[in-house]
């Protein structure tokens, strides 16, 4: 078979106009490529469009949660609010000319690979179809709200809603509000409402490790300085202490008996000891599992919030929900007007329920029957020219997912070059390479802090930590250059 080496114009379909899809779209436009971004909603932004709850902030310093190519001088504080981040993504997409390339209201319900044509056909919820040589799945991780299974939930007479489906008509000021769940979202909502609600009950099963972090606002003079000199922004984004803390954090995750995790635990325990005065409340808030086993909570305000007179921390098991409020296992009733379900997301769905059919009709549902997985979080055997951003087994933790997505894009772009140069028409990781990766990953994952015995969304359905189990540097190294021997690149070369 002769190898075809003429360069090839490709058509790209990006699924999702959140942070990752915007990144892919902009990078492809910059390279002069033909790209269409399909977004099911009527606005871009993903996470930051859907989550509008009071207190929403990104827990990565604002200047570090931006694209590397688009620093931003306007952040009002060290940590940005969700609304500000949404505005940043909208401005960025406009600035880079991406908006005309986004098809809003286009939910991708199917992707079917045609081996003869070496291209994908996308089917949309509105009935249309489109074809593309390459699919970039940027459909998000924390995207499908998880509703709690509590008997009687539907009977609640007030307003009950998931935190990612905020009900603007709900009573908050001077009202009796319950918040179920104490991940980052529940903690942020309680912090924000503690001085607004007449009574605020925070329902939590297991207390969180709360990492104290600085919080300060930028003055107009500082913003003006950022505008004049982006080196000042870079100094925050690339601050060596910040990156050292990320590296320490991933060391902590991967070395459960190491000094880094011990230091994190000590910091959080000192925070608990010095911040919470009432010994009974302090014990209620003391975690009984390893720090960072669940996503570590970064907060400058939660311990203050729960000590306010209107706030009550409830640790009992919820027996059920009644029209008046939440009934606890000991019979106590918390009468409520509003109930916020900060109960997280189905973090194992990724692009599903979209039906994805690859080579020979291989289905993604079958490939992911045990767990969602991808070779280095990027691609799946039998699904050629199909690449994921923030896909399964990628790094999760207290660092910027924008940096993760940019590194993944750098890797994917190198694979795309092979297609652009016409060296192959179809590229996918080999089964052997993927199996080897998964074997090593699962073995390492079991020994991370995520596998140290707590329940969390980091675990897959079999109890194995679902994420990247090695250091941040190992991820950066892996993304720097694909190992092409692990890919089936020549099988589909043009005759
Ligand atoms: C409350 C909350 C707080 C967070 N805080 C942080 C933080 O502090 N730091 C951090 O780094 N990360 C944080 N994250 C993670 C955050 O999700 C990522 O940082 C980032 O926004 C993910 O971008 P994404 O584009 O991968 O996914 P998303 O933002 O989820 O965007 C995916 C997009 O794809 C669209 N889509 C999905 N399926 C389809 C389909 N079939 N067809 C068409 N369109 C589709 C969706 O509508 C959405 O617009 C947080 C997440 C949440 C929920």
């Amino acid at each position: 078979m002769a190898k075809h080496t003429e360069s090839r114009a490709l058509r790209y379909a990006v699924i999702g106009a959140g942070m990752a899809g915007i990144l892919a779209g902009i990078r492809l436009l910059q390279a002069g490529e033909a790209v269409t971004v399909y977004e099911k909603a009527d606005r871009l932004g993903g996470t930051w469009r859907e989550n509008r709850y009071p207190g929403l902030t990104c827990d990565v310093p604002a200047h570090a949660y931006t694209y590397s190519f688009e620093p931003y001088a306007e952040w009002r504080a060290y940590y940005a609010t969700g609304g500000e981040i949404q505005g940043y993504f909208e401005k960025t997409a406009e600035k880079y000319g991406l908006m005309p390339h986004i098809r809003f209201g286009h939910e991708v319900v199917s992707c079917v690979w045609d081996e003869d044509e070496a291209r994908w056909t996308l089917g949309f919820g509105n009935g249309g179809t489109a074809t593309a040589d390459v699919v970039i799945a940027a459909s998000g991780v924390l995207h499908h709200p998880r509703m709690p299974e509590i008997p009687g939930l539907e009977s609640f007479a007030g307003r009950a809603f998931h935190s990612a489906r905020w009900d603007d008509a709900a009573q908050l000021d001077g009202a009796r509000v319950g918040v179920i769940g104490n991940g980052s979202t529940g903690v942020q909502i309680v912090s924000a409402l503690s001085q607004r609600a007449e009574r605020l009950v925070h329902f939590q099963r297991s207390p969180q490790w709360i990492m104290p972090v600085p919080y300060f606002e930028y003055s107009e003079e500082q913003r003006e300085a950022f505008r004049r000199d982006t080196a000042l922004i870079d100094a925050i984004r690339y601050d060596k202490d910040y990156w050292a803390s990320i590296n320490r954090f991933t060391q902590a995750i991967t070395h459960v008996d190491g000094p880094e995790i011990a230091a994190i635990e000590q910091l959080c325990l000192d925070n608990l000891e010095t911040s919470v005065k009432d010994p009974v409340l302090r014990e209620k808030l003391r975690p009984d599992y390893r720090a960072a086993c669940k996503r570590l909570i970064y907060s400058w305000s939660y311990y203050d919030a729960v000590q306010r007179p209107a706030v009550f921390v409830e640790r009992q098991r919820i027996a059920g929900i009644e029209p008046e409020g939440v009934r606890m296992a000991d019979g106590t009733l918390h009468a409520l007007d509003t109930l916020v379900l900060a109960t997280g997301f189905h973090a194992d769905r990724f692009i599903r329920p979209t039906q994805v059919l690859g080579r020979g009709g291989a289905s993604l549902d079958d490939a992911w029957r045990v767990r969602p997985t991808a070779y280095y979080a990027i691609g799946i055997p039998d699904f050629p020219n199909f690449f994921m951003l923030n896909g399964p087994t990628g790094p999760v933790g207290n660092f910027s997912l924008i940096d993760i997505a940019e590194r993944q894009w750098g890797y994917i772009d190198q694979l795309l070059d092979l297609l652009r140069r016409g060296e192959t028409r179809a590229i996918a990781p080999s089964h052997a390479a993927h199996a080897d990766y998964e074997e090593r990953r699962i073995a390492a994952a079991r020994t991370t802090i995520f596998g140290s015995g707590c329940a969390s969304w980091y675990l897959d359905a079999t109890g194995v930590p679902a994420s990247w189990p090695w250091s941040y540097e190992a991820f950066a190294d892996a993304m720097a250059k694909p190992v092409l021997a692990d890919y089936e690149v020549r099988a589909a070369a043009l005759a």
Side-chain angles (χ1 to χ4, degrees), residues 325-361:
V326 176
R327 178 80 63 187
M328 309 313 296
D330 71 353
T332 311
L333 175 75
H334 291 288
L336 300 170
D337 305 304
T338 299
L339 184 57
V340 181
L341 308 169
T343 42
F345 300 86
H346 292 283
D348 60 348
R349 297 265 171 97
F350 295 94
I351 192 174
R352 294 176 292 182
T354 302
Q355 189 192 36
V356 184
L357 298 178
R359 199 167 256 159

mmCIF file of all heavy atoms in Angstrom, residues 325-361:
data_model
loop_
_atom_site.group_PDB
_atom_site.id
_atom_site.type_symbol
_atom_site.label_atom_id
_atom_site.label_comp_id
_atom_site.label_asym_id
_atom_site.label_seq_id
_atom_site.Cartn_x
_atom_site.Cartn_y
_atom_site.Cartn_z
ATOM 1 N N GLY A 325 -40.395 20.129 55.310
ATOM 2 C CA GLY A 325 -38.944 20.226 55.409
ATOM 3 C C GLY A 325 -38.272 18.867 55.443
ATOM 4 O O GLY A 325 -38.779 17.892 54.884
ATOM 5 N N VAL A 326 -37.131 18.808 56.118
ATOM 6 C CA VAL A 326 -36.312 17.594 56.104
ATOM 7 C C VAL A 326 -36.404 16.919 57.474
ATOM 8 O O VAL A 326 -36.141 17.535 58.506
ATOM 9 C CB VAL A 326 -34.838 17.941 55.772
ATOM 10 C CG1 VAL A 326 -33.954 16.700 55.847
ATOM 11 C CG2 VAL A 326 -34.740 18.575 54.385
ATOM 12 N N ARG A 327 -36.791 15.644 57.468
ATOM 13 C CA ARG A 327 -36.920 14.865 58.700
ATOM 14 C C ARG A 327 -35.645 14.028 58.881
ATOM 15 O O ARG A 327 -35.211 13.336 57.971
ATOM 16 C CB ARG A 327 -38.127 13.947 58.585
ATOM 17 C CG ARG A 327 -38.365 13.052 59.765
ATOM 18 C CD ARG A 327 -39.057 13.734 60.917
ATOM 19 N NE ARG A 327 -40.398 14.202 60.599
ATOM 20 C CZ ARG A 327 -41.136 14.942 61.429
ATOM 21 N NH1 ARG A 327 -40.654 15.313 62.612
ATOM 22 N NH2 ARG A 327 -42.349 15.347 61.065
ATOM 23 N N MET A 328 -35.046 14.167 60.085
ATOM 24 C CA MET A 328 -33.814 13.443 60.362
ATOM 25 C C MET A 328 -34.120 12.067 60.974
ATOM 26 O O MET A 328 -35.231 11.809 61.459
ATOM 27 C CB MET A 328 -32.919 14.244 61.322
ATOM 28 C CG MET A 328 -32.672 15.673 60.902
ATOM 29 S SD MET A 328 -32.198 15.883 59.172
ATOM 30 C CE MET A 328 -30.636 15.007 59.124
ATOM 31 N N ALA A 329 -33.079 11.226 61.005
ATOM 32 C CA ALA A 329 -33.262 9.865 61.517
ATOM 33 C C ALA A 329 -33.715 9.877 62.975
ATOM 34 O O ALA A 329 -34.437 8.981 63.416
ATOM 35 C CB ALA A 329 -31.948 9.087 61.369
ATOM 36 N N ASP A 330 -33.318 10.898 63.754
ATOM 37 C CA ASP A 330 -33.740 10.943 65.163
ATOM 38 C C ASP A 330 -35.112 11.593 65.345
ATOM 39 O O ASP A 330 -35.537 11.852 66.473
ATOM 40 C CB ASP A 330 -32.688 11.671 66.015
ATOM 41 C CG ASP A 330 -32.654 13.181 65.734
ATOM 42 O OD1 ASP A 330 -33.355 13.634 64.785
ATOM 43 O OD2 ASP A 330 -31.959 13.908 66.446
ATOM 44 N N GLY A 331 -35.786 11.892 64.249
ATOM 45 C CA GLY A 331 -37.141 12.439 64.334
ATOM 46 C C GLY A 331 -37.215 13.953 64.233
ATOM 47 O O GLY A 331 -38.294 14.512 64.013
ATOM 48 N N THR A 332 -36.089 14.644 64.366
ATOM 49 C CA THR A 332 -36.096 16.109 64.254
ATOM 50 C C THR A 332 -36.581 16.530 62.864
ATOM 51 O O THR A 332 -36.180 15.928 61.858
ATOM 52 C CB THR A 332 -34.650 16.668 64.406
ATOM 53 O OG1 THR A 332 -34.073 16.080 65.542
ATOM 54 C CG2 THR A 332 -34.629 18.177 64.489
ATOM 55 N N LEU A 333 -37.400 17.584 62.829
ATOM 56 C CA LEU A 333 -37.812 18.132 61.530
ATOM 57 C C LEU A 333 -37.168 19.507 61.362
ATOM 58 O O LEU A 333 -37.301 20.364 62.236
ATOM 59 C CB LEU A 333 -39.331 18.278 61.459
ATOM 60 C CG LEU A 333 -39.832 18.950 60.173
ATOM 61 C CD1 LEU A 333 -39.755 17.996 58.988
ATOM 62 C CD2 LEU A 333 -41.252 19.491 60.329
ATOM 63 N N HIS A 334 -36.466 19.710 60.266
ATOM 64 C CA HIS A 334 -35.984 21.051 59.926
ATOM 65 C C HIS A 334 -36.992 21.650 58.953
ATOM 66 O O HIS A 334 -37.057 21.236 57.788
ATOM 67 C CB HIS A 334 -34.602 20.987 59.271
ATOM 68 C CG HIS A 334 -33.524 20.559 60.217
ATOM 69 N ND1 HIS A 334 -33.052 21.366 61.221
ATOM 70 C CD2 HIS A 334 -32.840 19.394 60.322
ATOM 71 C CE1 HIS A 334 -32.108 20.727 61.900
ATOM 72 N NE2 HIS A 334 -31.963 19.531 61.383
ATOM 73 N N ALA A 335 -37.799 22.589 59.454
ATOM 74 C CA ALA A 335 -38.804 23.221 58.588
ATOM 75 C C ALA A 335 -38.095 24.203 57.657
ATOM 76 O O ALA A 335 -37.288 25.026 58.106
ATOM 77 C CB ALA A 335 -39.839 23.943 59.442
ATOM 78 N N LEU A 336 -38.379 24.104 56.372
ATOM 79 C CA LEU A 336 -37.634 24.898 55.379
ATOM 80 C C LEU A 336 -38.566 25.496 54.329
ATOM 81 O O LEU A 336 -39.611 24.926 54.012
ATOM 82 C CB LEU A 336 -36.612 24.010 54.662
ATOM 83 C CG LEU A 336 -35.542 23.342 55.525
ATOM 84 C CD1 LEU A 336 -34.770 22.315 54.694
ATOM 85 C CD2 LEU A 336 -34.580 24.382 56.103
ATOM 86 N N ASP A 337 -38.112 26.648 53.782
ATOM 87 C CA ASP A 337 -38.800 27.247 52.630
ATOM 88 C C ASP A 337 -38.120 26.836 51.329
ATOM 89 O O ASP A 337 -38.761 26.739 50.283
ATOM 90 C CB ASP A 337 -38.748 28.783 52.737
ATOM 91 C CG ASP A 337 -39.316 29.276 54.046
ATOM 92 O OD1 ASP A 337 -40.477 28.944 54.357
ATOM 93 O OD2 ASP A 337 -38.584 29.963 54.792
ATOM 94 N N THR A 338 -36.799 26.682 51.410
ATOM 95 C CA THR A 338 -36.008 26.432 50.192
ATOM 96 C C THR A 338 -35.012 25.315 50.487
ATOM 97 O O THR A 338 -34.387 25.301 51.554
ATOM 98 C CB THR A 338 -35.239 27.715 49.803
ATOM 99 O OG1 THR A 338 -36.190 28.757 49.550
ATOM 100 C CG2 THR A 338 -34.362 27.512 48.581
ATOM 101 N N LEU A 339 -34.864 24.400 49.532
ATOM 102 C CA LEU A 339 -33.919 23.292 49.726
ATOM 103 C C LEU A 339 -32.992 23.205 48.512
ATOM 104 O O LEU A 339 -33.444 22.965 47.385
ATOM 105 C CB LEU A 339 -34.687 21.977 49.892
ATOM 106 C CG LEU A 339 -33.856 20.733 50.188
ATOM 107 C CD1 LEU A 339 -33.006 20.908 51.442
ATOM 108 C CD2 LEU A 339 -34.765 19.519 50.328
ATOM 109 N N VAL A 340 -31.705 23.429 48.775
ATOM 110 C CA VAL A 340 -30.724 23.395 47.686
ATOM 111 C C VAL A 340 -30.024 22.035 47.704
ATOM 112 O O VAL A 340 -29.507 21.612 48.740
ATOM 113 C CB VAL A 340 -29.669 24.511 47.857
ATOM 114 C CG1 VAL A 340 -28.671 24.473 46.701
ATOM 115 C CG2 VAL A 340 -30.332 25.879 47.946
ATOM 116 N N LEU A 341 -30.016 21.386 46.557
ATOM 117 C CA LEU A 341 -29.397 20.062 46.451
ATOM 118 C C LEU A 341 -28.015 20.237 45.824
ATOM 119 O O LEU A 341 -27.868 20.285 44.602
ATOM 120 C CB LEU A 341 -30.285 19.148 45.601
ATOM 121 C CG LEU A 341 -31.758 19.096 46.061
ATOM 122 C CD1 LEU A 341 -32.630 18.410 45.032
ATOM 123 C CD2 LEU A 341 -31.863 18.424 47.430
ATOM 124 N N ALA A 342 -27.015 20.378 46.684
ATOM 125 C CA ALA A 342 -25.635 20.552 46.195
ATOM 126 C C ALA A 342 -24.994 19.167 46.170
ATOM 127 O O ALA A 342 -24.028 18.887 46.871
ATOM 128 C CB ALA A 342 -24.881 21.506 47.109
ATOM 129 N N THR A 343 -25.610 18.298 45.364
ATOM 130 C CA THR A 343 -25.274 16.878 45.432
ATOM 131 C C THR A 343 -24.415 16.411 44.259
ATOM 132 O O THR A 343 -24.301 15.211 44.012
ATOM 133 C CB THR A 343 -26.583 16.055 45.517
ATOM 134 O OG1 THR A 343 -27.548 16.600 44.599
ATOM 135 C CG2 THR A 343 -27.159 16.139 46.919
ATOM 136 N N GLY A 344 -23.809 17.339 43.575
ATOM 137 C CA GLY A 344 -22.780 16.983 42.609
ATOM 138 C C GLY A 344 -23.303 16.504 41.263
ATOM 139 O O GLY A 344 -24.443 16.781 40.877
ATOM 140 N N PHE A 345 -22.463 15.771 40.589
ATOM 141 C CA PHE A 345 -22.703 15.434 39.188
ATOM 142 C C PHE A 345 -22.399 13.952 38.941
ATOM 143 O O PHE A 345 -21.660 13.339 39.698
ATOM 144 C CB PHE A 345 -21.796 16.293 38.288
ATOM 145 C CG PHE A 345 -22.055 17.758 38.461
ATOM 146 C CD1 PHE A 345 -21.419 18.486 39.460
ATOM 147 C CD2 PHE A 345 -22.975 18.401 37.648
ATOM 148 C CE1 PHE A 345 -21.683 19.837 39.642
ATOM 149 C CE2 PHE A 345 -23.257 19.754 37.826
ATOM 150 C CZ PHE A 345 -22.610 20.469 38.815
ATOM 151 N N HIS A 346 -22.959 13.436 37.864
ATOM 152 C CA HIS A 346 -22.576 12.095 37.411
ATOM 153 C C HIS A 346 -21.251 12.263 36.656
ATOM 154 O O HIS A 346 -21.254 12.541 35.453
ATOM 155 C CB HIS A 346 -23.646 11.508 36.489
ATOM 156 C CG HIS A 346 -24.932 11.212 37.189
ATOM 157 N ND1 HIS A 346 -25.099 10.106 37.993
ATOM 158 C CD2 HIS A 346 -26.099 11.888 37.233
ATOM 159 C CE1 HIS A 346 -26.322 10.100 38.501
ATOM 160 N NE2 HIS A 346 -26.946 11.180 38.059
ATOM 161 N N ALA A 347 -20.163 12.096 37.376
ATOM 162 C CA ALA A 347 -18.858 12.410 36.782
ATOM 163 C C ALA A 347 -18.362 11.297 35.856
ATOM 164 O O ALA A 347 -17.253 11.386 35.336
ATOM 165 C CB ALA A 347 -17.840 12.668 37.899
ATOM 166 N N ASP A 348 -19.179 10.274 35.654
ATOM 167 C CA ASP A 348 -18.745 9.166 34.796
ATOM 168 C C ASP A 348 -19.447 9.174 33.437
ATOM 169 O O ASP A 348 -19.314 8.248 32.661
ATOM 170 C CB ASP A 348 -19.025 7.832 35.498
ATOM 171 C CG ASP A 348 -20.515 7.657 35.783
ATOM 172 O OD1 ASP A 348 -21.272 8.646 35.644
ATOM 173 O OD2 ASP A 348 -20.915 6.528 36.136
ATOM 174 N N ARG A 349 -20.173 10.209 33.135
ATOM 175 C CA ARG A 349 -20.943 10.191 31.876
ATOM 176 C C ARG A 349 -20.109 10.666 30.689
ATOM 177 O O ARG A 349 -20.259 10.166 29.593
ATOM 178 C CB ARG A 349 -22.177 11.089 32.005
ATOM 179 C CG ARG A 349 -23.173 10.634 33.054
ATOM 180 C CD ARG A 349 -24.275 9.785 32.441
ATOM 181 N NE ARG A 349 -25.091 9.197 33.481
ATOM 182 C CZ ARG A 349 -26.255 9.708 33.894
ATOM 183 N NH1 ARG A 349 -26.709 10.812 33.342
ATOM 184 N NH2 ARG A 349 -26.944 9.110 34.837
ATOM 185 N N PHE A 350 -19.365 11.729 30.884
ATOM 186 C CA PHE A 350 -18.609 12.355 29.793
ATOM 187 C C PHE A 350 -19.558 12.625 28.620
ATOM 188 O O PHE A 350 -20.590 13.229 28.834
ATOM 189 C CB PHE A 350 -17.391 11.508 29.418
ATOM 190 C CG PHE A 350 -16.408 11.447 30.558
ATOM 191 C CD1 PHE A 350 -16.447 10.400 31.469
ATOM 192 C CD2 PHE A 350 -15.522 12.483 30.767
ATOM 193 C CE1 PHE A 350 -15.577 10.376 32.555
ATOM 194 C CE2 PHE A 350 -14.654 12.477 31.851
ATOM 195 C CZ PHE A 350 -14.684 11.412 32.739
ATOM 196 N N ILE A 351 -19.232 12.120 27.422
ATOM 197 C CA ILE A 351 -20.068 12.486 26.273
ATOM 198 C C ILE A 351 -21.425 11.758 26.262
ATOM 199 O O ILE A 351 -22.360 12.159 25.573
ATOM 200 C CB ILE A 351 -19.313 12.247 24.952
ATOM 201 C CG1 ILE A 351 -20.078 12.899 23.805
ATOM 202 C CG2 ILE A 351 -19.021 10.776 24.745
ATOM 203 C CD1 ILE A 351 -19.356 12.859 22.497
ATOM 204 N N ARG A 352 -21.524 10.688 27.030
ATOM 205 C CA ARG A 352 -22.806 9.983 27.053
ATOM 206 C C ARG A 352 -23.902 10.889 27.626
ATOM 207 O O ARG A 352 -23.583 11.734 28.471
ATOM 208 C CB ARG A 352 -22.672 8.709 27.889
ATOM 209 C CG ARG A 352 -21.713 7.712 27.234
ATOM 210 C CD ARG A 352 -21.496 6.499 28.095
ATOM 211 N NE ARG A 352 -20.764 6.821 29.318
ATOM 212 C CZ ARG A 352 -20.419 5.901 30.224
ATOM 213 N NH1 ARG A 352 -20.708 4.633 30.038
ATOM 214 N NH2 ARG A 352 -19.768 6.253 31.317
ATOM 215 N N PRO A 353 -25.132 10.793 27.203
ATOM 216 C CA PRO A 353 -25.775 9.688 26.474
ATOM 217 C C PRO A 353 -25.615 9.708 24.948
ATOM 218 O O PRO A 353 -26.259 8.923 24.262
ATOM 219 C CB PRO A 353 -27.250 9.861 26.839
ATOM 220 C CG PRO A 353 -27.406 11.346 27.003
ATOM 221 C CD PRO A 353 -26.106 11.817 27.611
ATOM 222 N N THR A 354 -24.785 10.594 24.406
ATOM 223 C CA THR A 354 -24.557 10.556 22.958
ATOM 224 C C THR A 354 -24.136 9.137 22.555
ATOM 225 O O THR A 354 -23.287 8.527 23.198
ATOM 226 C CB THR A 354 -23.439 11.546 22.572
ATOM 227 O OG1 THR A 354 -23.825 12.845 23.006
ATOM 228 C CG2 THR A 354 -23.182 11.556 21.081
ATOM 229 N N GLN A 355 -24.724 8.623 21.486
ATOM 230 C CA GLN A 355 -24.352 7.291 21.024
ATOM 231 C C GLN A 355 -23.154 7.424 20.081
ATOM 232 O O GLN A 355 -23.251 8.111 19.051
ATOM 233 C CB GLN A 355 -25.536 6.645 20.287
ATOM 234 C CG GLN A 355 -25.257 5.193 19.990
ATOM 235 C CD GLN A 355 -26.260 4.591 19.021
ATOM 236 O OE1 GLN A 355 -26.731 5.265 18.096
ATOM 237 N NE2 GLN A 355 -26.565 3.323 19.222
ATOM 238 N N VAL A 356 -22.046 6.809 20.458
ATOM 239 C CA VAL A 356 -20.840 6.919 19.631
ATOM 240 C C VAL A 356 -20.503 5.521 19.102
ATOM 241 O O VAL A 356 -20.302 4.584 19.886
ATOM 242 C CB VAL A 356 -19.656 7.489 20.450
ATOM 243 C CG1 VAL A 356 -18.441 7.699 19.540
ATOM 244 C CG2 VAL A 356 -20.042 8.794 21.130
ATOM 245 N N LEU A 357 -20.474 5.395 17.778
ATOM 246 C CA LEU A 357 -20.176 4.103 17.146
ATOM 247 C C LEU A 357 -18.913 4.253 16.310
ATOM 248 O O LEU A 357 -18.865 5.070 15.391
ATOM 249 C CB LEU A 357 -21.338 3.651 16.254
ATOM 250 C CG LEU A 357 -22.681 3.420 16.965
ATOM 251 C CD1 LEU A 357 -23.757 3.028 15.965
ATOM 252 C CD2 LEU A 357 -22.540 2.336 18.039
ATOM 253 N N GLY A 358 -17.904 3.478 16.648
ATOM 254 C CA GLY A 358 -16.616 3.580 15.974
ATOM 255 C C GLY A 358 -16.426 2.511 14.913
ATOM 256 O O GLY A 358 -17.391 2.024 14.297
ATOM 257 N N ARG A 359 -15.154 2.122 14.765
ATOM 258 C CA ARG A 359 -14.776 1.153 13.729
ATOM 259 C C ARG A 359 -15.565 -0.153 13.901
ATOM 260 O O ARG A 359 -15.672 -0.664 15.017
ATOM 261 C CB ARG A 359 -13.288 0.900 13.928
ATOM 262 C CG ARG A 359 -12.589 0.311 12.781
ATOM 263 C CD ARG A 359 -11.078 0.418 13.013
ATOM 264 N NE ARG A 359 -10.490 1.479 12.217
ATOM 265 C CZ ARG A 359 -9.324 2.062 12.508
ATOM 266 N NH1 ARG A 359 -8.656 1.717 13.586
ATOM 267 N NH2 ARG A 359 -8.854 2.988 11.715
ATOM 268 N N GLY A 360 -16.110 -0.657 12.796
ATOM 269 C CA GLY A 360 -16.832 -1.937 12.847
ATOM 270 C C GLY A 360 -18.058 -1.874 13.741
ATOM 271 O O GLY A 360 -18.512 -2.896 14.261
ATOM 272 N N GLY A 361 -18.591 -0.687 13.964
ATOM 273 C CA GLY A 361 -19.792 -0.544 14.794
ATOM 274 C C GLY A 361 -19.524 -0.623 16.290
ATOM 275 O O GLY A 361 -20.465 -0.712 17.085
#
